[in-house]
Amino acid sequence: MKNKIKKILLGAAFLALFNPVNATEYRVNNAQEISALKLLPGDKVIMNAGDWKNQQIVLKGKGTEKLPITLLTERSGQIISGNSTLKIDGEYLVVDGLAFADGYSEKDAIITFSKNSAHCRLTNSSIINYNHPDKTFDYKWISVFGTYNRVDHCELTGKTHQGTTLVVWLSEKPNYSQIDHNYFGPRPDLGVNGGETIRIGTSDWSMYDSFAKVENNIFDKCNGEAEIISIKSGRNLISNNLFYECVGTLTFRHGNNSKVANNFFIGNKVKNTGGIRLIGENQNVHDNYLQGLTGTALRSAISIMNALEAPKPNEYFQVKNAVVKNNVIVDCKEAIVIGAGKNSTRTVPPINLIVESNVIINSAKLITYTDIPLNSTIKDNSVKGSPLEEGFITLKENAVKANDDLMLKTQNLKNFLLNEKVGPSWKKEKPNLNIR
């Protein structure tokens, strides 16, 4: 009997320790009150409505998978202003409903996941026009360090000063970051390098694997510089995103073994809108839909670059073993360029390239060979409305697979626009996307 009672008491103690009924809800009025809290799994911190200006907010603690620690605003979309910033520092922390506006950072990123953070989440939040008055001032809007962190259902719009909008930073171990269901709103051309919307890694860390995922986002007129997304690490997945009238490209800039699949690039004939640019080894580009892009050379629908003989970490590495397959390219100015960027130093052509089973319709230029790829396969690509080249065949009305690919891609685009819930739930205004 004693042993039975002991087991019951131990069980009750275990449940009391991990039961959210015992979690505490705190209401706070400023960043200092948040920092003073000793938060435990399941605790909630609610930011009261009021003046949240010039607040350096730090959410620190260790939640669990089942009992995260949550920071909420009294009203979703509550404005955080002035020189305010947020640091997420711990494990299983969730930040929900913040809206940064009417201010700018004086030094650091607006929102930072710390190097020790793991399994943390920023959701249902926004940063709108949070710009330093000096347009050359460089800070990121979101810096993602740590591992297994997620940014989802957020809006980031109107960045007009230098610096990448969102950066995933690397370390010796993969980060497994997840960036999904966000709306990245218009960003003007800065006229200088460093204005990417997303960058995954840096040149110095590019040979390390990241395993980041960027999925189900909308990139709307993200024109900060030539690279909309810059992949500078290994083993990343960029899938099921919409790039709408973006003047630039999704670029495999450094690193190897990444995949770009099932994305939509809609240019609507806007000048210099681009597609996908390949550099590095074992990159895989498949099942993307690219329409109405006017970019050429480095901004063509599919641009496969030349490289240097002995590149430094920040230079151009040879394209090796790339696969470009099952993509649909419609009404683009230049569908495919091989050897893009060739000049007196970029003299090394792609090798072991596969360009296969793509569908190209009404493109002004089917394929441009700036250089000749080595030991490569270009075959079974279906074409309508462009003069044929070797490796390309006429798309016939009864060519079931090619026509099915086209119909599937267009239906997937409609499904994406209808069904994906992108951006904060409390935002009433929806992006005006005209798919022609």
Side-chain angles (χ1 to χ4, degrees):
M1 177 62 74
K2 289 183 178 180
N3 287 336
K4 187 175 181 180
I5 293 172
K6 186 176 181 182
K7 287 180 180 180
I8 292 171
L9 292 173
L10 286 172
F14 180 84
L15 288 172
L17 182 62
F18 293 99
N19 195 326
V21 171
N22 297 312
T24 304
E25 182 178 291
Y26 298 94
R27 286 189 166 268
V28 294
N29 296 297
N30 53 55
Q32 289 75 17
E33 291 181 6
I34 297 174
S35 296
L37 298 174
K38 304 299 182 184
L39 297 170
L40 298 174
D43 286 352
K44 288 185 178 181
V45 181
I46 299 176
M47 299 166 60
N48 290 326
D51 185 9
W52 287 84
K53 186 175 183 180
N54 301 329
Q55 300 290 310
Q56 277 61 61
I57 303 166
V58 179
L59 179 64
K60 190 176 182 67
K62 289 189 177 182
T64 66
E65 183 176 6
K66 293 184 178 180
L67 295 174
I69 296 168
T70 307
L71 175 66
L72 300 159
T73 51
E74 187 173 19
R75 296 190 302 268
S76 290
Q78 191 167 297
I79 298 296
I80 317 297
S81 65
N83 303 128
S84 297
T85 59
L86 167 68
K87 186 176 183 180
I88 302 170
D89 185 18
E91 298 176 10
Y92 292 102
L93 306 177
V94 176
V95 175
D96 186 337
L98 277 65
F100 286 83
D102 303 324
Y104 57 89
S105 173
E106 295 180 313
K107 180 181 178 182
D108 300 319
I110 300 167
I111 299 174
T112 302
F113 291 77
S114 76
K115 292 182 179 180
N116 297 318
S117 64
H119 302 281
C120 295
R121 181 183 181 193
L122 172 71
T123 187
N124 203 35
S125 297
S126 69
I127 304 174
I128 310 293
N129 302 325
Y130 213 69
N131 293 305
H132 198 282
D134 179 358
K135 302 303 180 186
T136 67
F137 200 85
D138 186 330
Y139 60 84
K140 285 55 176 171
W141 277 13
I142 299 180
S143 278
V144 183
F145 294 91
T147 56
Y148 296 99
N149 293 320
R150 182 184 181 194
V151 178
D152 68 282
H153 296 91
C154 294
E155 176 177 352
L156 307 173
T157 294
K159 193 174 194 293
T160 60
H161 62 92
Q162 282 184 233
T164 308
T165 304
L166 185 154
V167 179
V168 175
W169 299 93
L170 266 68
S171 65
E172 289 85 356
K173 58 183 179 180
N175 58 79
Y176 297 98
S177 300
Q178 186 172 338
I179 314 298
D180 65 283
H181 294 91
N182 302 288
Y183 174 73
F184 294 91
R187 185 176 185 190
D189 185 357
L190 298 180
V192 293
N193 194 28
E196 306 98 323
T197 296
I198 292 179
R199 192 182 75 227
I200 306 171
T202 59
S203 301
D204 292 342
W205 288 91
S206 61
M207 293 301 128
Y208 287 79
D209 287 337
S210 171
F211 288 97
K213 291 183 178 180
V214 179
E215 300 178 304
N216 301 299
N217 303 282
I218 292 176
F219 298 85
D220 181 7
K221 303 178 186 69
C222 294
N223 304 338
E225 61 142 86
E227 298 174 16
I228 309 160
I229 295 179
S230 185
I231 304 172
K232 295 187 175 182
S233 53
R235 300 190 186 281
N236 301 287
L237 174 63
I238 317 296
S239 69
N240 205 48
N241 303 283
L242 171 59
F243 297 85
Y244 181 81
E245 295 185 1
C246 292
V247 178
T249 63
L250 192 171
T251 303
F252 295 89
R253 186 60 186 88
H254 299 300
N256 307 311
N257 302 298
S258 287
K259 182 184 294 187
V260 170
N262 299 298
N263 299 284
F264 310 99
F265 295 79
I266 306 298
N268 283 340
K269 296 297 184 177
V270 172
K271 186 178 179 180
N272 287 330
T273 45
I276 302 164
R277 182 157 60 109
L278 283 79
I279 303 155
E281 300 182 15
N282 307 317
Q283 317 289 25
N284 195 329
V285 176
H286 69 84
D287 292 288
N288 300 283
Y289 179 79
L290 307 101
Q291 177 183 320
L293 305 174
T294 64
T296 61
L298 300 182
R299 297 194 188 199
S300 59
I302 305 288
S303 177
I304 304 163
M305 285 199 68
N306 257 30
L308 280 74
E309 284 281 357
K312 298 175 182 177
N314 65 334
E315 294 179 331
Y316 292 89
F317 285 73
Q318 186 179 22
V319 175
K320 297 180 180 180
N321 312 316
V323 176
V324 178
K325 192 171 182 178
N326 293 334
N327 302 285
V328 173
I329 303 171
V330 179
D331 203 20
C332 293
K333 190 169 184 178
E334 196 163 41
I336 300 171
V337 176
I338 296 177
K342 180 181 179 180
N343 58 21
S344 59
T345 58
R346 293 195 287 262
T347 58
V348 182
I351 188 171
N352 299 331
L353 170 67
I354 296 175
V355 179
E356 183 179 356
S357 300
N358 301 286
V359 179
I360 299 113
I361 298 174
N362 296 334
S363 288
K365 182 66 177 177
L366 179 61
I367 187 166
T368 300
Y369 291 96
T370 308
D371 208 342
I372 305 302
L374 306 174
N375 191 33
S376 295
T377 301
I378 301 174
K379 68 174 185 177
D380 298 333
N381 300 285
S382 300
V383 180
K384 181 179 180 180
S386 302
L388 294 181
E389 302 266 359
E390 185 176 353
F392 296 82
I393 58 176
T394 300
L395 173 63
K396 298 178 181 178
E397 297 305 322
N398 62 351
V400 176
K401 184 180 185 305
N403 279 296
D404 283 353
D405 282 347
L406 174 58
M407 292 177 65
L408 180 62
K409 300 296 189 301
T410 54
Q411 186 58 49
N412 286 346
L413 175 57
K414 292 176 183 177
N415 291 340
F416 178 92
L417 294 171
L418 286 172
N419 299 325
E420 292 298 339
K421 305 300 182 186
V422 174
S425 62
W426 46 267
K427 288 284 290 188
K428 295 180 180 179
E429 307 87 359
K430 300 299 179 184
N432 182 22
L433 304 179
N434 178 24
I435 307 298
R436 300 171 193 170

Short mmCIF file of all heavy atoms in Angstrom, two decimals, residues 80-84 100-108 110 127-141 156-165 185-188 190:
data_model
loop_
_atom_site.label_atom_id
_atom_site.label_comp_id
_atom_site.label_asym_id
_atom_site.label_seq_id
_atom_site.Cartn_x
_atom_site.Cartn_y
_atom_site.Cartn_z
N ILE A 80 4.80 48.72 -31.71
CA ILE A 80 6.06 48.89 -30.98
C ILE A 80 6.87 49.90 -31.80
O ILE A 80 7.11 49.67 -32.99
CB ILE A 80 6.83 47.56 -30.87
CG1 ILE A 80 5.89 46.40 -30.52
CG2 ILE A 80 7.98 47.68 -29.89
CD1 ILE A 80 5.21 46.51 -29.20
N SER A 81 7.31 51.00 -31.19
CA SER A 81 7.82 52.11 -32.00
C SER A 81 9.14 52.66 -31.46
O SER A 81 9.75 52.11 -30.55
CB SER A 81 6.77 53.21 -32.05
OG SER A 81 6.55 53.75 -30.76
N GLY A 82 9.55 53.78 -32.05
CA GLY A 82 10.79 54.46 -31.64
C GLY A 82 12.01 53.67 -32.04
O GLY A 82 12.14 53.24 -33.18
N ASN A 83 12.91 53.46 -31.08
CA ASN A 83 14.12 52.67 -31.33
C ASN A 83 14.00 51.29 -30.70
O ASN A 83 14.99 50.71 -30.25
CB ASN A 83 15.35 53.40 -30.76
CG ASN A 83 15.53 54.79 -31.34
OD1 ASN A 83 15.67 55.75 -30.61
ND2 ASN A 83 15.50 54.89 -32.67
N SER A 84 12.82 50.75 -30.68
CA SER A 84 12.57 49.47 -30.02
C SER A 84 13.17 48.30 -30.80
O SER A 84 13.23 48.32 -32.04
CB SER A 84 11.07 49.25 -29.86
OG SER A 84 10.49 50.23 -29.03
N PHE A 100 6.08 46.31 -35.39
CA PHE A 100 7.07 47.38 -35.32
C PHE A 100 6.78 48.41 -36.40
O PHE A 100 6.72 48.08 -37.59
CB PHE A 100 8.48 46.82 -35.48
CG PHE A 100 8.97 46.06 -34.28
CD1 PHE A 100 8.63 44.74 -34.08
CD2 PHE A 100 9.78 46.69 -33.33
CE1 PHE A 100 9.08 44.04 -32.98
CE2 PHE A 100 10.23 46.00 -32.22
CZ PHE A 100 9.89 44.67 -32.03
N ALA A 101 6.62 49.68 -35.99
CA ALA A 101 6.34 50.75 -36.93
C ALA A 101 6.73 52.08 -36.29
O ALA A 101 6.99 52.15 -35.09
CB ALA A 101 4.86 50.76 -37.31
N ASP A 102 6.79 53.13 -37.10
CA ASP A 102 7.04 54.49 -36.60
C ASP A 102 8.37 54.57 -35.85
O ASP A 102 8.44 55.10 -34.74
CB ASP A 102 5.90 54.96 -35.69
CG ASP A 102 4.55 54.91 -36.38
OD1 ASP A 102 4.50 55.19 -37.59
OD2 ASP A 102 3.56 54.57 -35.72
N GLY A 103 9.42 54.02 -36.44
CA GLY A 103 10.72 54.10 -35.79
C GLY A 103 11.80 53.45 -36.61
O GLY A 103 11.65 53.19 -37.80
N TYR A 104 12.93 53.18 -35.95
CA TYR A 104 14.07 52.52 -36.59
C TYR A 104 15.05 52.07 -35.52
O TYR A 104 15.02 52.55 -34.38
CB TYR A 104 14.77 53.46 -37.58
CG TYR A 104 15.27 54.76 -36.97
CD1 TYR A 104 16.54 54.87 -36.41
CD2 TYR A 104 14.45 55.89 -36.96
CE1 TYR A 104 17.00 56.06 -35.87
CE2 TYR A 104 14.89 57.09 -36.41
CZ TYR A 104 16.17 57.17 -35.86
OH TYR A 104 16.61 58.34 -35.31
N SER A 105 15.91 51.14 -35.89
CA SER A 105 16.95 50.69 -34.96
C SER A 105 18.16 51.62 -35.07
O SER A 105 18.45 52.15 -36.14
CB SER A 105 17.36 49.25 -35.29
OG SER A 105 18.47 48.87 -34.50
N GLU A 106 18.85 51.76 -33.96
CA GLU A 106 20.07 52.58 -33.97
C GLU A 106 21.33 51.75 -34.14
O GLU A 106 22.41 52.29 -34.34
CB GLU A 106 20.16 53.38 -32.67
CG GLU A 106 19.05 54.41 -32.50
CD GLU A 106 19.17 55.19 -31.20
OE1 GLU A 106 19.38 54.53 -30.15
OE2 GLU A 106 19.08 56.42 -31.24
N LYS A 107 21.18 50.40 -34.06
CA LYS A 107 22.39 49.57 -34.11
C LYS A 107 22.10 48.16 -34.60
O LYS A 107 22.55 47.75 -35.66
CB LYS A 107 23.05 49.51 -32.73
CG LYS A 107 24.32 48.68 -32.69
CD LYS A 107 24.90 48.65 -31.28
CE LYS A 107 26.16 47.78 -31.23
NZ LYS A 107 26.70 47.70 -29.85
N ASP A 108 21.34 47.39 -33.82
CA ASP A 108 21.17 45.97 -34.06
C ASP A 108 19.96 45.68 -34.95
O ASP A 108 19.18 46.57 -35.28
CB ASP A 108 21.01 45.23 -32.73
CG ASP A 108 22.22 45.41 -31.82
OD1 ASP A 108 23.35 45.37 -32.34
OD2 ASP A 108 22.03 45.59 -30.61
N ILE A 110 16.27 44.54 -35.78
CA ILE A 110 15.05 44.85 -35.04
C ILE A 110 14.65 43.65 -34.19
O ILE A 110 14.31 43.77 -33.03
CB ILE A 110 13.92 45.24 -36.01
CG1 ILE A 110 14.34 46.46 -36.83
CG2 ILE A 110 12.63 45.53 -35.25
CD1 ILE A 110 13.43 46.73 -38.00
N ILE A 127 6.80 44.11 -39.43
CA ILE A 127 7.72 45.25 -39.40
C ILE A 127 7.40 46.06 -40.66
O ILE A 127 7.53 45.57 -41.78
CB ILE A 127 9.20 44.83 -39.41
CG1 ILE A 127 9.49 43.87 -38.24
CG2 ILE A 127 10.10 46.05 -39.33
CD1 ILE A 127 10.90 43.29 -38.28
N ILE A 128 6.95 47.30 -40.47
CA ILE A 128 6.52 48.13 -41.59
C ILE A 128 7.29 49.45 -41.59
O ILE A 128 7.24 50.21 -40.61
CB ILE A 128 5.00 48.43 -41.52
CG1 ILE A 128 4.20 47.14 -41.31
CG2 ILE A 128 4.55 49.17 -42.78
CD1 ILE A 128 4.21 46.18 -42.46
N ASN A 129 8.02 49.71 -42.67
CA ASN A 129 8.70 51.01 -42.88
C ASN A 129 9.55 51.42 -41.68
O ASN A 129 9.60 52.61 -41.34
CB ASN A 129 7.66 52.11 -43.18
CG ASN A 129 6.82 51.79 -44.39
OD1 ASN A 129 7.29 51.21 -45.37
ND2 ASN A 129 5.55 52.15 -44.35
N TYR A 130 10.23 50.47 -41.08
CA TYR A 130 11.04 50.76 -39.88
C TYR A 130 12.44 51.15 -40.34
O TYR A 130 13.40 50.41 -40.18
CB TYR A 130 11.06 49.51 -38.99
CG TYR A 130 11.11 49.78 -37.50
CD1 TYR A 130 10.02 50.34 -36.83
CD2 TYR A 130 12.22 49.45 -36.75
CE1 TYR A 130 10.05 50.55 -35.46
CE2 TYR A 130 12.26 49.65 -35.38
CZ TYR A 130 11.18 50.21 -34.74
OH TYR A 130 11.21 50.41 -33.38
N ASN A 131 12.55 52.35 -40.90
CA ASN A 131 13.73 52.75 -41.65
C ASN A 131 14.53 53.84 -40.97
O ASN A 131 13.97 54.84 -40.50
CB ASN A 131 13.32 53.25 -43.04
CG ASN A 131 12.76 52.14 -43.90
OD1 ASN A 131 13.39 51.12 -44.10
ND2 ASN A 131 11.55 52.34 -44.40
N HIS A 132 15.83 53.65 -40.95
CA HIS A 132 16.74 54.70 -40.48
C HIS A 132 16.71 55.87 -41.46
O HIS A 132 16.63 55.65 -42.68
CB HIS A 132 18.16 54.13 -40.37
CG HIS A 132 19.07 54.95 -39.52
ND1 HIS A 132 19.65 56.13 -39.96
CD2 HIS A 132 19.48 54.79 -38.23
CE1 HIS A 132 20.39 56.63 -39.00
NE2 HIS A 132 20.31 55.85 -37.93
N PRO A 133 16.78 57.10 -40.97
CA PRO A 133 16.75 58.25 -41.90
C PRO A 133 17.95 58.29 -42.84
O PRO A 133 17.84 58.86 -43.93
CB PRO A 133 16.73 59.47 -40.96
CG PRO A 133 17.13 58.95 -39.62
CD PRO A 133 16.74 57.53 -39.56
N ASP A 134 19.07 57.69 -42.45
CA ASP A 134 20.23 57.58 -43.32
C ASP A 134 20.09 56.29 -44.14
O ASP A 134 20.22 55.19 -43.59
CB ASP A 134 21.51 57.56 -42.49
CG ASP A 134 22.77 57.43 -43.34
OD1 ASP A 134 22.66 57.31 -44.58
OD2 ASP A 134 23.87 57.43 -42.75
N LYS A 135 19.83 56.40 -45.43
CA LYS A 135 19.57 55.23 -46.26
C LYS A 135 20.78 54.31 -46.40
O LYS A 135 20.65 53.15 -46.79
CB LYS A 135 19.10 55.67 -47.66
CG LYS A 135 17.87 56.54 -47.66
CD LYS A 135 16.69 55.88 -46.96
CE LYS A 135 15.46 56.76 -46.98
NZ LYS A 135 14.33 56.22 -46.18
N THR A 136 21.98 54.78 -46.07
CA THR A 136 23.18 53.94 -46.14
C THR A 136 23.42 53.17 -44.84
O THR A 136 24.34 52.36 -44.76
CB THR A 136 24.43 54.78 -46.46
OG1 THR A 136 24.71 55.67 -45.36
CG2 THR A 136 24.23 55.60 -47.72
N PHE A 137 22.58 53.42 -43.83
CA PHE A 137 22.74 52.74 -42.54
C PHE A 137 22.29 51.30 -42.68
O PHE A 137 21.19 51.02 -43.13
CB PHE A 137 21.91 53.47 -41.48
CG PHE A 137 22.34 53.19 -40.07
CD1 PHE A 137 23.36 53.91 -39.49
CD2 PHE A 137 21.72 52.19 -39.33
CE1 PHE A 137 23.76 53.65 -38.18
CE2 PHE A 137 22.11 51.94 -38.03
CZ PHE A 137 23.14 52.66 -37.45
N ASP A 138 23.16 50.36 -42.27
CA ASP A 138 22.93 48.93 -42.52
C ASP A 138 22.57 48.21 -41.22
O ASP A 138 23.38 48.09 -40.31
CB ASP A 138 24.20 48.31 -43.13
CG ASP A 138 24.00 46.86 -43.56
OD1 ASP A 138 23.19 46.15 -42.95
OD2 ASP A 138 24.68 46.44 -44.51
N TYR A 139 21.34 47.76 -41.14
CA TYR A 139 20.96 46.78 -40.12
C TYR A 139 19.88 45.88 -40.71
O TYR A 139 19.15 46.26 -41.62
CB TYR A 139 20.49 47.42 -38.82
CG TYR A 139 19.29 48.34 -38.91
CD1 TYR A 139 17.99 47.84 -38.88
CD2 TYR A 139 19.47 49.72 -39.00
CE1 TYR A 139 16.90 48.69 -38.95
CE2 TYR A 139 18.38 50.57 -39.07
CZ TYR A 139 17.10 50.05 -39.05
OH TYR A 139 16.02 50.90 -39.12
N LYS A 140 19.85 44.66 -40.20
CA LYS A 140 18.87 43.69 -40.67
C LYS A 140 17.56 43.90 -39.91
O LYS A 140 17.56 44.37 -38.78
CB LYS A 140 19.38 42.26 -40.44
CG LYS A 140 20.45 41.79 -41.41
CD LYS A 140 21.66 42.68 -41.49
CE LYS A 140 22.75 42.14 -42.40
NZ LYS A 140 23.81 43.14 -42.61
N TRP A 141 16.48 43.54 -40.54
CA TRP A 141 15.22 43.60 -39.83
C TRP A 141 15.04 42.38 -38.94
O TRP A 141 14.59 42.48 -37.82
CB TRP A 141 14.05 43.76 -40.81
CG TRP A 141 13.85 45.19 -41.22
CD1 TRP A 141 14.70 46.23 -41.01
CD2 TRP A 141 12.71 45.73 -41.89
NE1 TRP A 141 14.18 47.39 -41.51
CE2 TRP A 141 12.95 47.12 -42.06
CE3 TRP A 141 11.53 45.19 -42.37
CZ2 TRP A 141 12.03 47.96 -42.69
CZ3 TRP A 141 10.62 46.03 -43.00
CH2 TRP A 141 10.86 47.40 -43.15
N LEU A 156 6.77 41.85 -43.67
CA LEU A 156 7.95 42.72 -43.67
C LEU A 156 7.88 43.57 -44.93
O LEU A 156 8.10 43.07 -46.03
CB LEU A 156 9.23 41.88 -43.65
CG LEU A 156 9.33 40.84 -42.53
CD1 LEU A 156 10.56 39.97 -42.71
CD2 LEU A 156 9.35 41.49 -41.17
N THR A 157 7.57 44.84 -44.77
CA THR A 157 7.28 45.70 -45.92
C THR A 157 7.99 47.04 -45.79
O THR A 157 8.02 47.64 -44.73
CB THR A 157 5.76 45.95 -46.03
OG1 THR A 157 5.11 44.73 -46.35
CG2 THR A 157 5.44 46.95 -47.13
N GLY A 158 8.55 47.50 -46.91
CA GLY A 158 9.00 48.89 -47.02
C GLY A 158 10.39 49.18 -46.51
O GLY A 158 10.65 50.31 -46.08
N LYS A 159 11.30 48.24 -46.58
CA LYS A 159 12.68 48.51 -46.15
C LYS A 159 13.39 49.33 -47.21
O LYS A 159 13.58 48.88 -48.34
CB LYS A 159 13.43 47.20 -45.89
CG LYS A 159 14.75 47.36 -45.15
CD LYS A 159 15.34 45.99 -44.81
CE LYS A 159 16.46 46.08 -43.80
NZ LYS A 159 17.66 46.75 -44.29
N THR A 160 13.83 50.54 -46.87
CA THR A 160 14.44 51.44 -47.85
C THR A 160 15.91 51.74 -47.57
O THR A 160 16.54 52.44 -48.35
CB THR A 160 13.66 52.78 -47.90
OG1 THR A 160 13.72 53.40 -46.61
CG2 THR A 160 12.22 52.56 -48.31
N HIS A 161 16.44 51.23 -46.46
CA HIS A 161 17.85 51.47 -46.16
C HIS A 161 18.64 50.18 -46.41
O HIS A 161 18.07 49.12 -46.65
CB HIS A 161 18.03 51.92 -44.71
CG HIS A 161 17.58 50.89 -43.71
ND1 HIS A 161 18.42 49.96 -43.16
CD2 HIS A 161 16.36 50.64 -43.18
CE1 HIS A 161 17.75 49.18 -42.33
NE2 HIS A 161 16.49 49.57 -42.33
N GLN A 162 19.97 50.27 -46.34
CA GLN A 162 20.82 49.12 -46.65
C GLN A 162 20.66 48.01 -45.62
O GLN A 162 20.27 48.23 -44.48
CB GLN A 162 22.28 49.57 -46.74
CG GLN A 162 22.61 50.26 -48.05
CD GLN A 162 24.08 50.59 -48.16
OE1 GLN A 162 24.45 51.73 -48.42
NE2 GLN A 162 24.93 49.61 -47.98
N GLY A 163 21.03 46.80 -46.07
CA GLY A 163 20.98 45.64 -45.21
C GLY A 163 19.88 44.68 -45.63
O GLY A 163 18.81 45.07 -46.08
N THR A 164 20.18 43.39 -45.49
CA THR A 164 19.23 42.35 -45.85
C THR A 164 18.01 42.40 -44.94
O THR A 164 18.12 42.69 -43.75
CB THR A 164 19.92 40.98 -45.74
OG1 THR A 164 21.14 41.01 -46.48
CG2 THR A 164 19.04 39.87 -46.26
N THR A 165 16.85 42.11 -45.49
CA THR A 165 15.63 42.13 -44.68
C THR A 165 15.67 41.03 -43.61
O THR A 165 15.45 41.29 -42.43
CB THR A 165 14.39 41.94 -45.57
OG1 THR A 165 14.39 42.96 -46.59
CG2 THR A 165 13.13 42.07 -44.74
N GLY A 185 6.84 42.50 -48.48
CA GLY A 185 6.27 43.53 -49.32
C GLY A 185 7.29 44.34 -50.08
O GLY A 185 8.50 44.11 -49.98
N PRO A 186 6.83 45.30 -50.90
CA PRO A 186 7.71 46.04 -51.80
C PRO A 186 8.92 46.66 -51.10
O PRO A 186 8.82 47.20 -49.99
CB PRO A 186 6.78 47.12 -52.35
CG PRO A 186 5.42 46.49 -52.33
CD PRO A 186 5.41 45.67 -51.07
N ARG A 187 10.04 46.54 -51.81
CA ARG A 187 11.29 47.14 -51.37
C ARG A 187 11.96 47.77 -52.59
O ARG A 187 12.17 47.09 -53.60
CB ARG A 187 12.21 46.08 -50.76
CG ARG A 187 13.48 46.69 -50.19
CD ARG A 187 14.36 45.70 -49.48
NE ARG A 187 15.46 46.42 -48.88
CZ ARG A 187 16.54 45.88 -48.33
NH1 ARG A 187 16.64 44.57 -48.28
NH2 ARG A 187 17.48 46.62 -47.81
N PRO A 188 12.31 49.07 -52.55
CA PRO A 188 12.87 49.72 -53.73
C PRO A 188 14.31 49.30 -54.00
O PRO A 188 15.01 48.81 -53.12
CB PRO A 188 12.80 51.20 -53.37
CG PRO A 188 12.88 51.22 -51.86
CD PRO A 188 12.16 49.99 -51.41
N LEU A 190 18.03 49.61 -54.16
CA LEU A 190 18.97 50.45 -53.40
C LEU A 190 20.08 51.00 -54.28
O LEU A 190 20.75 51.96 -53.91
CB LEU A 190 19.60 49.62 -52.27
CG LEU A 190 18.65 49.08 -51.20
CD1 LEU A 190 19.43 48.30 -50.17
CD2 LEU A 190 17.87 50.20 -50.54
#
